[in-house]
Amino acid sequence: MATEIERKFLVKGDFSKQVSKSERIVQGYICSQPGRTVRVRIRGKEGFLTIKGASDEKGLSRYEFEQKIPPADAEELLKLCEPGAIDKVRNLVPVGKHTWEVDVFHGDNEGLILAEIELESEDEPFERPDWVGQEVSGDRRYYNSMLTKHPYKQW
């Protein structure tokens, strides 16, 4: 089983000069119940189906299965998703030996900017750039599946 280990932070400064690549992402959830999510995503011109399990106590690790699917299938599956969708631009920002994923949200989550870093282990050291603010790993309000139900603009 694949385990995803990631930490999530609010962004407090300008990261734009360090961006190596940007892509629009649109995603929805076929299932977003506590302990499991089934997500459909279109990233750029590619489609993906992702299943995620429950997060650990700290909110850092969880089971993740992701499969590439034809974009036309992803478009059709998005029609089956629960109400609410995520629309964001993902920016890749290399820092040290890691690449940060900085998501700038649009639509109902406009104004929210989150930075995520994937790690090999929960205690792996990493370089924290000055534009990275408060850590929100494990804060369910910032899970994409929760942002579809309780958008940032309504907080």
Side-chain angles (χ1 to χ4, degrees):
M1 291 198 325
T3 300
E4 172 188 59
I5 301 170
E6 77 180 7
R7 293 178 65 180
K8 191 178 291 200
F9 301 82
L10 296 175
V11 173
K12 66 175 186 172
D14 185 15
F15 61 91
S16 62
K17 292 182 174 134
Q18 298 171 274
V19 172
S20 65
K21 183 179 180 183
S22 296
E23 278 187 309
R24 181 172 181 229
I25 294 175
V26 176
Q27 68 189 42
Y29 290 85
I30 293 173
C31 171
S32 62
Q33 302 203 353
R36 66 186 152 291
T37 59
V38 179
R39 176 183 76 199
V40 178
R41 172 182 277 180
I42 297 174
R43 185 181 71 215
K45 295 179 180 180
E46 298 180 311
F48 298 89
L49 182 65
T50 306
I51 300 168
K52 293 188 178 194
S55 295
D56 68 1
E57 295 167 0
K58 295 183 244 175
L60 302 180
S61 301
R62 63 183 169 170
Y63 169 79
E64 179 183 61
F65 169 84
E66 184 168 78
Q67 183 69 46
K68 201 174 195 181
I69 61 174
D73 289 348
E75 290 280 355
E76 287 301 311
L77 287 171
L78 281 171
K79 296 174 186 175
L80 300 176
C81 289
E82 298 170 347
I86 297 293
D87 185 0
K88 61 187 177 181
V89 173
R90 171 155 294 162
N91 301 280
L92 301 181
V93 183
V95 177
K97 68 176 194 167
H98 295 94
T99 298
W100 289 80
E101 297 176 343
V102 181
D103 291 340
V104 178
F105 289 81
H106 299 289
D108 289 340
N109 292 295
E110 188 80 36
L112 179 60
I113 304 175
L114 292 174
E116 297 178 354
I117 185 169
E118 290 201 18
L119 303 169
E120 294 294 321
S121 66
E122 290 186 9
D123 59 353
E124 179 183 354
F126 60 91
E127 190 176 330
R128 187 173 170 157
D130 60 0
W131 43 263
V132 168
Q134 175 188 347
E135 183 165 8
V136 294
S137 301
D139 185 336
R140 295 188 180 283
R141 295 177 302 162
Y142 294 100
Y143 289 8
N144 283 291
S145 59
M146 290 301 290
L147 290 170
T148 62
K149 296 173 183 168
H150 305 286
Y152 183 69
K153 279 187 168 183
Q154 295 176 5
W155 293 8

